[in-house]
Amino acid sequence: MGKAIQVQGLRKSFKNTEVLKGVDFEVERGEIFALLGSNGAGKTTIVRILSTLLRQDGGTASVNGFDVMSNPRKVRQAISLTGQFAAVDEMLTGRENLIMIARLRHLEQPRQAAEDLLRRFGLTDAADRKPSAYSGGMRRRLDIALSLVGRPQIIFLDEPTTGLDPEARMEVWKIVRELAAGGTTVFLTTQYLEEAEQLADKISILHEGRIIAGGTLAELKKRFPAAKVEYVEKQPTLEEIFLAITGNKEAI
């Protein structure tokens, strides 16, 4: 089946600013892959390229075995995208939002698909209310549910917990784990280091337009100086690893 995502030498500039300077990484099928980086590092630019919303200036990128530039239609059939802010229609109820997307995806039973997702995401009781009456966590659950209409093989979650309170964030984490357990490949961008530490099978750190480190959490910990031994061994957190690798040691 090959890799879910393969990126080699990816480059992108906006006017005179080079945002991506030759990015390389791979994502295995069925895993949760976290792309870490500060604001402006280029995370969303990568997501937009991989989801065929933006053309790269150089390098190659393939999703589900299809090149994003030469075969964008095939890529779009395999993916779904949830951005930083919930993209729901405020004039429709939760149920109507789901039915609309199911019809746009030409599902044979759009109402049944909507009911299944409402049940799965714990939104049945709120199905006939408009999103303006939802809490932040409920809106995000609806947004992710909309992304799963048609059962995409790969889902991009671009900073999905931005602006959510801790309880709502935990709700999203649970959904992400369930997606991966069901075989969906999850590509997650985040600036919350704890989020990547809790969820990701693999992590890549994007800094100044390049991937400067990647691997499992255990592999990244090996790059950190030996643990300090006081009364017990103190293992580095992902935040300490991130700051050390990006050169911001004074912040540790």
Side-chain angles (χ1 to χ4, degrees), residues 130-149:
K130 293 183 178 180
S132 58
Y134 285 14
S135 66
M138 291 169 67
R139 286 174 65 87
R140 180 52 80 191
R141 294 208 309 271
L142 176 60
D143 196 30
I144 296 175
L146 291 168
S147 298
L148 293 181
V149 173

Side-chain angles (χ1 to χ4, degrees), residues 9 67 191 216:
D67 185 89
Q191 24 179 342
T216 64

Side-chain angles (χ1 to χ4, degrees), residues 24-25 33-36 202-207 210-216 219-220 223 241-242 245-246:
D24 302 278
F25 63 84
F33 174 89
L35 183 63
L36 280 178
K202 296 282 182 60
I203 300 165
S204 282
I205 297 176
L206 182 67
H207 183 63
R210 292 186 174 89
I211 298 292
I212 59 173
T216 64
E219 290 167 344
L220 290 175
R223 300 188 55 168
I241 294 167
F242 176 88
I245 289 174
T246 57

Side-chain angles (χ1 to χ4, degrees), residues 28-33 120-121 148 151-153 155 157 172-187 198-201:
E28 301 288 342
R29 294 183 183 276
E31 77 177 5
I32 302 174
F33 174 89
R120 178 178 177 183
F121 286 88
L148 293 181
R151 300 191 178 186
Q153 299 171 58
I155 183 168
L157 300 177
V172 174
W173 288 5
K174 179 182 177 182
I175 291 168
V176 171
R177 291 189 183 101
E178 289 173 351
L179 289 174
T184 302
T185 302
V186 179
F187 185 106
Q198 289 289 328
L199 295 176
D201 299 304

Side-chain angles (χ1 to χ4, degrees), residues 6 36-37 82-83 85 119 127-128 146 214 248:
Q6 289 181 293
L36 280 178
T82 295
F85 305 100
R119 190 179 311 108
D128 295 317
L146 291 168
N248 195 4

